[in-house]
Amino acid sequence: MTISYNWLKDYLQCDLTPEQVAEALTSIGLEVDSLEQVEAIPGGLAGVIVAEVVECVEHPDSDHLHITQLNTGAPELLQVVCGAPNVAAGQKVLLATIGTVLGEDFKIKKSKIRGVESNGMICAEDELGIGNSHDGIMVLDPAAVPGTPAKEYLHLETNAVIEIGLTANRVDAASHIGVARDLYAYLRLNNIPCELNIPDVSAFAEGEGEAIPLTVLAPEAAPRYTGTTIKGVKVAPSPEWLQKKLLSIGLRPINNVVDITNFVLMEVGQPLHAFDASKIIGGKVVVRKAVEGEKFVTLDGVERTLSANDLMIANTEKSMCLAGVFGGEESGVTDSTVDVFLEGAYFNPVSIRKSSKRHGLKTDASFRYERGCDPLVTEWAAKRAALLIQELAGGKVVGKMQKFYPEEIKRKEIELDYARIENFIGKKIGWKTIEDILVYLNYNFVERTYDAQGNPATAKVEAPSYMIDVYRECDVVEEILRIYGYNNVELPRSMKISVNPTAKPEPEAVRNAISDFLAANGFVETMNNSLTKGDYYAKSSTWPEAKCVRIVNPLSSDLNVMRQTLLFGGLEVVAYNINHQINTMRTFEYGSVYAFDPETDGKTIACYEEHQCFALFMTGSSEKSWRIEAQKGSYYQLKGYMELLLRRFGADIYSLEAEAAPADFFSEGVAYSLPGRGKRLATMGTVAPAVLKRFGIKQPVFAAEINWQVLFELIKRDKIKYKELPKFPEVRRDLALLLDESVTYADLRKSALKVGKKLIKNVGLFDVYRGDKIPAGKKQYAMSFVLQDPEKTLTDADVDRIMSKLLATFTNEWGATLR
């Protein structure tokens, strides 16, 4: 929200500087993002002063130049060569002295013009940026005093523009009056002199004749609607003061009528819309829902297809405006408009938000309507705009203001307990301070009760209608505290806490250790939105669309479901980086995934499931150096990191049950589950080309997803034991085995450890061969075995005996033959 300091002071009279205003706003919860000083003319005409032409003679070497002697208020006269035809002795002029910068980069320097020294430049209007005339120099009033800065003489304003980072619940501060109200409460509480001036609209008067009637057919979407008919207006450019106000906050002036509606919007936060009355077919305004599939062309010239849930402002034949969002191309005010129908309304925030999201339209009006405007300021804003239109565009109000307000919208009543409020705050600030703040914030006291000493103890108050998020006592406490000042609540001398023992291992510590492990191995942590695109799950059997948790009011079609997996979000990150020329990356993410049980009624929390996962991604090649060739990433490289990760926390990947990874996402891969329990621990593999194509990725990507709860259950089983280092040496032996393709390394490893579990310390696979001289359906494994006896040095006979047992086991159980 952009606030003009000078405009703000129209409503709040105080002596605070812009910097002090910004500090105060931040302290009361309206955090200031930036504060910028803005000159009416860029540079503020620094270095330009009033000068008097004491002498003016013709240049000896020119038929159009003059040599002048200027009184600048200094002891000595200043010589300046001037080419303007109207320069003459006795004039008061504006002089740009040496060093002055005019425009963007024109710097005044000491120079010689046809042999005559010149020490500045006498300026025309366009050279100073204060007009368009270049017929001659700007001649000032004879009373102008030489040496006076041009900024002071021309009364140029310096404004400060304050940018406030509004939170979604503070739409009450999305206007100058809204900010002034909050600032007023803060200043009054701190005994800083100030005065709040809200414009008076009592001069508004209804006229004679027939006003344009209105009918509201969708009262649930438009609980309050007003229409004012003004005839005989003259559409023209707005006066300078109005244009300056709009320009100061970045709005482009259009014409006096439209500018007034924008002015009132930024003044009080109430959107208004002016219709050309001559374009209201049938002479009647109808507020209704759109017809499904109805076509409507908005002000930007785009034809939009409407939904039956869109609220429209229409005439008797067709729609004129997408209510609360955007006007129509044919119904707005133009230079030829003579009669105006002025709309002021309070629309249902949900209805406006849905229409805004559905059509991808973000406007100043929809920003306020979808967050909740003040329902009780509608009529005031319409009267304010009508008075300004009559003042700046002429015309007169015809007939009565048309009003639709079937059910009064009442201010929310809240019961307060002062002792409980002080307990919430953590400091006894006194009942008077509490009541003063509430009065300054426009709360109405309905009733009070008193304690034995006669002091107020409880109260019932009415919250201001513009405070959309104040419903309960704790909300009121927040309002009191932000005006009182969080910094004014001192920290206690001592704090009491209860320490609960945490079960070991601590989940958070383990999770952080996993993140540290991955970061140490070159993975970069990412974080994605839990909301994602439902289309990702349309053709998935692993994560069926029916199990998606859908958002009732999605921000867009790209964020309409809760994610069932981290993998799609991770691929978005990969695609984004590749599109920005980052082709090699390793990333990981920790986050929640969600699922819905489609066989339930969806009305209880048990219908939904949420758990956390880790996701890992690898793509691209390692960097090439003078001694190492670039190495492409691979599925087995990712599997190696997975194995290291599990081993780091005491889990053995080969003790898990393995099956093929889901084919709808992976072209090759494996899924691991806990033995005998069916709990899926992890899925990993090469992402299928068809999936990559959907993201525009043209290089291989390797991904894994780990179920955090199952992993933690596995980690909890690990019991750390300590033993002394072995005293006797290890022995390594290798075997080359011819095997059926169906036999896996995990099968052989498991059998080997069973045979020599006391002596075999490690089993490894260092070569796999298929091809020449290997029969079809066969493969060759080259395996290593590390043996060690903790009690003695193994002899060759001991080792040969164990290796014979291994070979016999492999032969009997897996049909292996020795190569």
Side-chain angles (χ1 to χ4, degrees):
M1 177 65 198
T2 305
I3 295 293
S4 162
Y5 171 76
N6 291 344
W7 192 349
L8 181 67
K9 294 195 72 174
D10 289 347
Y11 313 110
L12 184 68
Q13 301 298 316
C14 66
D15 295 329
L16 268 62
T17 64
E19 291 74 18
Q20 290 171 324
V21 168
E23 183 179 350
L25 290 176
T26 298
S27 72
I28 60 177
L30 300 176
E31 185 175 358
V32 173
D33 291 337
S34 64
L35 172 64
E36 181 182 358
Q37 297 289 342
V38 179
E39 302 282 356
I41 296 175
L45 297 183
V48 181
I49 60 173
V50 175
E52 180 183 9
V53 182
V54 177
E55 180 182 319
C56 178
V57 298
E58 292 185 356
H59 195 293
D61 291 334
S62 173
D63 58 357
H64 70 280
L65 296 177
H66 298 82
I67 302 171
T68 64
Q69 301 294 327
L70 303 180
N71 171 19
T72 61
E76 298 181 359
L77 297 180
L78 195 68
Q79 180 173 285
V80 174
V81 177
C82 178
N86 65 328
V87 64
Q91 291 175 337
K92 299 290 178 67
V93 296
L94 288 177
L95 171 70
T97 58
I98 293 173
T100 300
V101 177
L102 298 178
E104 293 184 1
D105 55 5
F106 180 55
K107 187 174 184 178
I108 305 299
K109 300 177 181 178
K110 186 175 182 179
S111 62
K112 282 191 176 182
I113 302 177
R114 297 198 179 183
V116 178
E117 186 178 278
S118 182
N119 298 286
M121 184 176 82
I122 303 175
C123 300
E125 284 184 4
D126 63 335
E127 292 167 332
L128 296 172
I130 57 177
N132 298 316
S133 174
H134 195 69
D135 296 335
I137 60 171
M138 185 177 177
V139 179
L140 308 182
D141 189 285
V145 179
T148 303
K151 179 178 179 180
E152 181 180 329
Y153 175 79
L154 296 172
H155 305 291
L156 296 180
E157 283 188 351
T158 298
N159 194 10
V161 176
I162 303 170
E163 195 68 36
I164 299 174
L166 280 185
T167 53
N169 64 324
R170 291 306 311 276
V171 70
D172 62 288
S175 65
H176 286 76
I177 287 179
V179 171
R181 284 189 303 240
D182 265 19
L183 200 53
Y184 171 77
Y186 171 82
L187 298 179
R188 284 295 306 272
L189 184 69
N190 290 279
N191 297 315
I192 299 173
C194 63
E195 184 177 344
L196 186 65
N197 299 316
I198 306 299
D200 182 19
V201 297
S202 59
F204 175 84
E206 296 174 329
E208 300 292 331
E210 291 294 325
I212 295 174
L214 63 89
T215 299
V216 178
L217 301 179
E220 73 288 348
R224 187 170 193 181
Y225 193 93
T226 65
T228 307
T229 304
I230 306 171
K231 292 188 175 182
V233 302
K234 181 175 177 56
V235 177
S238 296
E240 184 181 4
W241 70 265
L242 179 53
Q243 292 193 38
K244 281 185 174 180
K245 283 194 182 327
L246 296 179
L247 287 169
S248 70
I249 59 171
L251 291 182
R252 179 177 61 88
I254 298 173
N255 59 55
N256 48 8
V257 175
V258 174
D259 291 351
I260 286 168
T261 62
N262 287 333
F263 172 81
V264 174
L265 169 67
M266 295 302 173
E267 178 181 58
V268 75
Q270 172 62 49
L272 301 170
H273 192 76
F275 295 91
D276 186 330
S278 66
K279 298 175 182 177
I280 302 176
I281 301 172
K284 183 178 182 180
V285 171
V286 181
V287 183
R288 60 168 174 81
K289 289 296 181 74
V291 177
E292 185 67 38
E294 179 182 348
K295 303 296 183 181
F296 179 67
V297 180
T298 46
L299 270 173
D300 55 0
V302 177
E303 184 180 76
R304 303 180 188 276
T305 302
L306 303 178
S307 160
N309 294 317
D310 290 327
L311 183 66
M312 306 301 296
I313 311 301
N315 51 45
T316 56
E317 293 185 9
K318 61 182 180 179
S319 295
M320 301 187 295
C321 175
L322 183 56
V325 181
F326 214 21
E329 187 178 46
E330 300 178 358
S331 60
V333 172
T334 65
D335 292 345
S336 60
T337 297
V338 176
D339 301 333
V340 170
F341 178 83
L342 183 65
E343 168 198 273
Y346 170 70
F347 295 123
N348 185 307
V350 175
S351 173
I352 302 303
R353 181 165 56 250
K354 287 183 176 181
S355 289
S356 174
K357 303 298 181 188
R358 186 180 299 114
H359 298 288
L361 291 170
K362 287 287 186 182
T363 61
D364 287 328
S366 68
F367 175 86
R368 289 158 177 82
Y369 274 132
E370 67 186 32
R371 285 162 175 79
C373 287
D374 180 1
L376 303 187
V377 81
T378 304
E379 189 172 324
W380 182 95
K383 290 179 179 179
R384 170 74 166 152
L387 288 170
L388 287 171
I389 289 173
Q390 291 178 91
E391 177 185 344
L392 304 181
K396 62 179 182 178
V397 175
V398 175
K400 294 185 177 181
M401 178 184 286
Q402 301 297 294
K403 303 174 185 179
F404 176 82
Y405 191 28
E407 186 175 343
E408 182 182 359
I409 301 173
K410 296 182 178 180
R411 297 170 64 162
K412 297 181 285 290
E413 289 191 352
I414 304 165
E415 294 185 354
L416 306 177
D417 183 303
Y418 292 169
R420 191 163 54 233
I421 288 174
E422 290 181 326
N423 189 43
F424 271 128
I425 294 173
K427 180 180 178 180
K428 292 187 178 298
I429 64 174
W431 65 268
K432 189 174 188 312
T433 300
I434 293 173
E435 292 199 347
D436 284 347
I437 292 173
L438 294 178
V439 169
Y440 299 150
L441 288 174
N442 289 327
Y443 282 76
N444 285 340
F445 282 82
V446 178
E447 60 183 48
R448 293 182 177 89
T449 63
Y450 298 85
D451 59 19
Q453 289 74 39
N455 297 322
T458 67
K460 180 185 288 186
V461 297
E462 288 180 337
S465 54
Y466 48 78
M467 296 304 299
I468 61 166
D469 68 330
V470 176
Y471 293 93
R472 302 165 296 169
E473 183 182 58
C474 57
D475 300 326
V476 178
V477 173
E478 183 181 352
E479 294 298 295
I480 294 169
L481 191 50
R482 67 183 182 84
I483 299 300
Y484 181 75
Y486 288 93
N487 292 335
N488 293 325
V489 180
E490 301 84 0
L491 290 174
R493 291 180 176 270
S494 61
M495 299 181 70
K496 298 178 180 179
I497 61 172
S498 58
V499 179
N500 296 319
T502 304
K504 299 294 183 181
E506 187 178 348
E508 187 68 16
V510 175
R511 188 179 72 79
N512 288 335
I514 293 174
S515 298
D516 291 343
F517 170 84
L518 293 170
N521 281 279
F523 287 80
V524 176
E525 185 169 10
T526 63
M527 185 179 295
N528 288 296
N529 199 331
S530 295
L531 299 178
T532 187
K533 188 185 297 187
D535 290 347
Y536 289 153
Y537 304 94
K539 298 180 181 179
S540 174
S541 57
T542 307
W543 305 285
E545 187 176 17
K547 287 192 173 183
C548 286
V549 179
R550 297 199 166 273
I551 307 303
V552 177
N553 299 315
L555 296 173
S556 72
S557 59
D558 289 341
L559 299 171
N560 58 354
V561 299
M562 303 291 282
R563 62 189 177 190
Q564 290 191 59
T565 175
L566 301 181
L567 297 178
F568 291 121
L571 288 178
E572 288 179 348
V573 173
V574 171
Y576 179 86
N577 281 274
I578 290 175
N579 291 337
H580 288 76
Q581 308 303 313
I582 302 173
N583 298 312
T584 298
M585 70 199 82
R586 298 176 185 175
T587 66
F588 78 95
E589 180 179 4
Y590 173 83
S592 295
V593 296
Y594 312 84
F596 166 68
D597 185 351
E599 296 183 1
T600 65
D601 58 8
K603 296 181 179 180
T604 64
I605 196 67
C607 304
Y608 300 88
E609 192 262 336
E610 173 186 353
H611 66 269
Q612 290 71 44
C613 289
F614 275 96
L616 284 65
F617 294 87
M618 288 180 59
T619 187
S621 305
S622 62
E623 285 192 27
K624 181 181 180 181
S625 72
W626 64 274
R627 62 187 183 88
I628 300 176
E629 290 294 324
Q631 295 182 341
K632 292 183 177 181
S634 69
Y635 159 72
Y636 295 103
Q637 192 177 9
L638 180 62
K639 182 174 179 290
Y641 285 117
M642 281 282 292
E643 188 172 346
L644 282 174
L645 175 61
L646 293 174
R647 190 187 304 164
R648 162 68 177 79
F649 294 97
D652 182 3
I653 197 171
Y654 299 105
S655 66
L656 303 172
E657 293 180 352
E659 60 181 309
D664 61 339
F665 192 87
F666 297 100
S667 58
E668 63 171 343
V670 62
Y672 295 105
S673 303
L674 296 188
R677 301 194 180 188
K679 289 185 178 180
R680 178 66 57 84
L681 168 65
T683 306
M684 61 173 296
T686 304
V687 181
V691 176
L692 296 179
K693 186 177 180 180
R694 294 167 63 185
F695 292 86
I697 300 172
K698 298 179 181 179
Q699 63 188 55
V701 178
F702 312 99
E705 187 171 60
I706 308 169
N707 187 313
W708 161 244
Q709 276 78 4
V710 179
L711 175 61
F712 188 67
E713 182 180 331
L714 196 61
I715 292 172
K716 285 194 297 183
R717 299 181 192 175
D718 184 41
K719 305 299 180 184
I720 299 175
K721 296 179 181 179
Y722 297 90
K723 60 182 179 181
E724 63 178 336
L725 291 172
K727 299 177 181 179
F728 304 99
E730 295 178 346
V731 178
R732 171 175 166 149
R733 290 287 187 271
D734 298 338
L735 286 178
L737 302 172
L738 187 64
L739 302 155
D740 290 337
E741 280 285 3
S742 60
V743 180
T744 66
Y745 166 69
D747 296 331
L748 299 175
R749 184 178 184 275
K750 187 175 180 180
S751 295
L753 293 176
K754 186 185 295 183
V755 169
K757 59 181 179 181
K758 291 185 178 181
L759 298 180
I760 296 178
K761 299 303 179 186
N762 192 28
V763 180
L765 176 65
F766 61 89
D767 187 46
V768 178
Y769 178 71
R770 298 177 179 87
D772 188 33
K773 298 182 182 179
I774 300 295
K778 298 285 186 177
K779 60 186 175 183
Q780 177 184 293
Y781 274 1
M783 300 178 65
S784 65
F785 302 89
V786 177
L787 297 87
Q788 186 181 51
D789 192 323
E791 298 176 355
K792 65 176 183 177
T793 299
L794 291 172
T795 65
D796 288 343
D798 295 330
V799 174
D800 291 341
R801 186 169 58 254
I802 295 171
M803 297 306 295
S804 296
K805 285 185 179 180
L806 283 176
L807 185 55
T809 300
F810 293 156
T811 301
N812 296 332
E813 292 186 5
W814 306 108
T817 57
L818 185 63
R819 289 276 289 174

